[in-house]
Amino acid sequence: MKPSPDMKQDVAEILLTEEEIRAKVAELGARITADYTGGELTLVSVLKGSLPFMADLMRQIDVPLRIDLMEVSSYGGAATESSGLVRILKDLSAPIDGRDVLLVEDIIDTGLTLNYLLRYLRGKNPRSIKICALLNKPARRLVEIPIDYIGFEVPDRFVVGYGLDYGEVYRNLRFVGVLRPEAYEEPSQP
Ligand code: PRP
C-alpha cells in the first residue's frame, strides 16, 4: 500500500501528541539525570525506530554521556520468533565494560529483542545496565523485561510515528498515532 502524500490521512487516531511526547521526554530526562548525577552514562539505542527518541532524550539528560548505536533484525517466522533469535546488523562501536549503560528503545512489544540484547550486553561486563522505553505494549509481551523508565503504555494497536514505521514509512510523524486499516490491509479482490 502506498502512503498518502499527506501521511496524516493514513492515521485514524492520534494516541500521543507532539506536546505530550515532549513533556514525557523531559520528565524521563530529569529522572535519569537525578539517578545518574555524579556519574557518567552510555546510552545505547537500537536503530532505526529509536532515533527520534534517542535524539530528544539525550538532550534532556544533564550528565556527561556517550552514545552508541546498534541495529538488529529478528529472524521472523513463528518458530524463530518464539526463540527470540536476533541478528546483529551493527554492533557497538566502543567497549562498555565498567560503564553504566542505559538501553534506549522506542517500543517494547514481545520483549524478545530486548531480552536478547540484555543478555548480549551483560556479557560485555558493563557496571550496570538499565532500560528506558518510550512506549510499552504489555498486551503482546512474551518474555518479562525489567523496564526502569517507561514513557507511555499503549494498547495493542498498530502504532506509527515518532520513529515507528509501517513499511519503513511514517517514522517522521511528530506524534504517535494508529494507522487506518486501509493503510495496511490489501484491498479485497473482486
Ligand atoms: C522495534 C523496536 C524494538 C522491537 C521491539 O524494532 O524498535 O527494537 O521492534 O519488538 P519486540 O519487543 O517484539 O522485540 P523493529 O524490529 O520494528 O525495527 P525498527 O526499529 O528498525 O523499526
Side-chain angles (χ1 to χ4, degrees):
M1 166 86 195
K2 205 171 180 298
S4 303
D6 175 5
M7 292 178 293
K8 293 188 192 73
Q9 286 182 3
D10 297 337
V11 173
E13 187 189 333
I14 293 179
L15 285 184
L16 304 167
T17 65
E18 184 178 356
E19 292 72 26
E20 286 171 323
I21 295 169
R22 191 182 304 125
K24 184 62 77 177
V25 173
E27 183 191 315
L28 289 171
R31 280 180 55 202
I32 293 165
T33 300
D35 291 352
Y36 288 91
T37 294
E40 290 182 18
L41 192 53
T42 300
L43 300 184
V44 173
S45 122
V46 190
L47 295 168
K48 306 173 197 135
S50 304
L51 197 59
F53 180 43
M54 175 73 153
D56 289 343
L57 182 68
M58 63 184 276
R59 288 175 289 177
Q60 297 293 334
I61 299 175
D62 202 11
V63 301
L65 63 78
R66 297 166 166 76
I67 64 167
D68 211 333
L69 303 167
M70 294 186 70
E71 186 168 8
V72 301
S73 79
S74 52
Y75 276 96
T80 47
E81 194 180 306
S82 55
S83 74
L85 268 181
V86 170
R87 187 156 48 120
I88 294 178
L89 303 178
K90 187 213 167 294
D91 206 341
L92 295 173
S93 52
I96 54 167
D97 58 293
R99 298 209 170 272
D100 290 312
V101 172
L102 183 62
L103 203 42
V104 176
E105 265 286 22
D106 51 340
I107 187 165
I108 303 181
D109 195 348
T110 62
L112 292 173
T113 306
L114 264 189
N115 189 49
Y116 177 89
L117 275 179
L118 267 181
R119 274 186 285 141
Y120 179 76
L121 294 174
R122 281 191 184 123
K124 295 183 174 288
N125 301 313
R127 193 167 89 111
S128 69
I129 182 157
K130 289 191 181 184
I131 294 173
C132 177
L134 180 68
L135 307 179
N136 184 29
K137 202 188 256 187
R140 298 225 334 141
R141 193 73 90 251
L142 292 178
V143 48
E144 248 353 278
I145 297 287
I147 314 175
D148 302 280
Y149 307 94
I150 298 179
F152 303 94
E153 300 231 324
V154 290
D156 189 12
R157 299 176 71 185
F158 207 112
V159 289
V160 295
Y162 199 68
L164 295 154
D165 73 306
Y166 174 69
E168 295 297 327
V169 186
Y170 306 105
R171 294 192 197 272
N172 54 329
L173 289 173
R174 293 202 288 253
F175 55 82
V176 171
V178 178
L179 211 53
R180 281 186 200 283
E182 306 90 270
Y184 56 86
E185 280 168 3
E186 290 297 323
S188 55
Q189 300 297 317

